[in-house]
Amino acid sequence: MGKSRRTVPEELLLLALDPTTGTTAQPQTLDLGLAGAQLVELSLAGRIVPEGDRIAVVLARPTGDPTLDHALELLRRRGSPVRAAHWIGGPRLGLRQTYLAHLERCGMVTAVPGQVCGVLPTTRYQASDDCTNAAIKQRLDTAIRTGVPPDPRTAALAALAHSVGLGKHLYPGNEGRSSRSRLRDLIRYDPLGGMVAHAVMDVQNGLPTQQNRSSQGSGAASGRPGTRTAGRGSGGRVSAPRVGVR
């Protein structure tokens, strides 16, 4: 795959990184978004394809990205298509920390050790190149401002950013309300990104993964993370992972 282009998971994490605090916004749901972003990137790389609400591996050849290749191998081992929500809600916690370490190795972020209350050790992360983060945000801003259909990568990134609740981080306050609404609307420009984003929101809300998605259209229209009524299926309630790394 090479590193001429940043991956969707990398861009999602960079969008979530707060330049002031050095922490990530939405830490409790970002792991889910990163798992979904891996599916989007593997699809863009031609390794997987959607089959309804399931994901099937069509090419097991490594991409050259170790984090993506690990996910691809886990999917391959399943042996049969897996539901996107099952994959996203699986027990692979810590993706946020995995990707922070990955970005540090790639030179995209710098780890800054510190202390909380002068006692507890903590680590903040600063983007190594503010222009990179600004360029990522600019792609979303352009799609929101112009209304021109974005490319699939940008549309998927917007859908995932919305699904994990980054809208208020990217476009805060009352003045950002219309931009948040338009960010949500970009979900319709990439079918796979939209499917994955809905799966992320379903896992957050504890909806049964087998649920009929006939109401997706109305969900896309309302589109706000955390506003769906949580249902209970035979498999029980699935909770969004809580990750303590800041």
Side-chain angles (χ1 to χ4, degrees):
M1 169 179 294
K3 292 307 296 178
S4 60
R5 173 178 296 185
R6 291 174 300 274
T7 66
V8 177
E10 290 169 354
E11 292 195 327
L12 182 66
L13 185 53
L14 287 171
L15 276 178
L17 196 61
D18 189 312
T20 302
T21 65
T23 62
T24 53
Q26 302 300 114
Q28 295 179 1
T29 57
L30 196 53
D31 269 17
L32 300 176
L34 289 170
Q38 287 183 320
L39 295 181
V40 170
E41 189 63 44
L42 287 171
S43 175
L44 290 170
R47 280 10 181 225
I48 63 174
V49 296
E51 292 185 356
D53 64 346
R54 296 176 183 267
I55 299 296
V57 175
V58 293
L59 181 62
R61 188 178 69 212
T63 65
D65 181 304
T67 52
L68 290 175
D69 290 342
H70 178 65
L72 180 61
E73 176 61 15
L74 291 178
L75 286 166
R76 186 194 66 79
R77 289 178 187 174
R78 296 293 183 98
S80 60
V82 59
R83 281 191 172 90
H86 279 173
W87 169 259
I88 290 166
R92 298 173 326 286
L93 303 184
L95 271 180
R96 184 164 55 102
Q97 183 58 51
T98 296
Y99 268 98
L100 282 170
H102 168 73
L103 291 182
E104 185 182 10
R105 287 193 302 271
C106 294
M108 292 190 223
V109 301
T110 301
V112 181
Q115 290 182 328
V116 176
C117 300
V119 179
L120 300 176
T122 186
T123 302
R124 297 181 297 110
Y125 293 87
Q126 298 293 337
S128 302
D129 181 4
D130 290 338
C131 292
T132 296
N133 285 26
I136 298 170
K137 173 73 161 29
Q138 182 61 38
R139 284 172 30 221
L140 297 184
D141 291 346
T142 298
I144 286 172
R145 185 179 65 254
T146 65
V148 176
D151 62 275
R153 184 175 294 273
T154 300
L157 180 63
L160 288 162
H162 164 69
S163 74
V164 299
L166 285 182
K168 290 185 178 180
H169 167 71
L170 298 171
Y171 305 102
N174 287 333
E175 65 275 15
R177 184 177 300 173
S178 62
S179 292
R180 293 196 298 271
S181 177
R182 291 169 186 167
L183 178 73
R184 174 199 68 204
D185 291 343
L186 294 177
I187 200 170
R188 69 182 185 270
Y189 289 115
D190 182 58
L192 176 68
M195 184 266 282
V196 169
H198 280 297
V200 169
M201 289 186 280
D202 281 354
V203 175
Q204 288 181 59
N205 290 305
L207 290 178
T209 55
Q210 293 87 359
Q211 178 175 336
N212 189 306
R213 308 259 347 135
S214 61
S215 61
Q216 262 192 12
S218 60
S222 61
R224 291 168 299 190
T227 58
R228 296 183 183 185
T229 302
R232 296 180 181 272
S234 59
R237 185 180 179 84
V238 182
S239 298
R242 296 181 178 271
V243 184
V245 179
R246 290 260 176 185

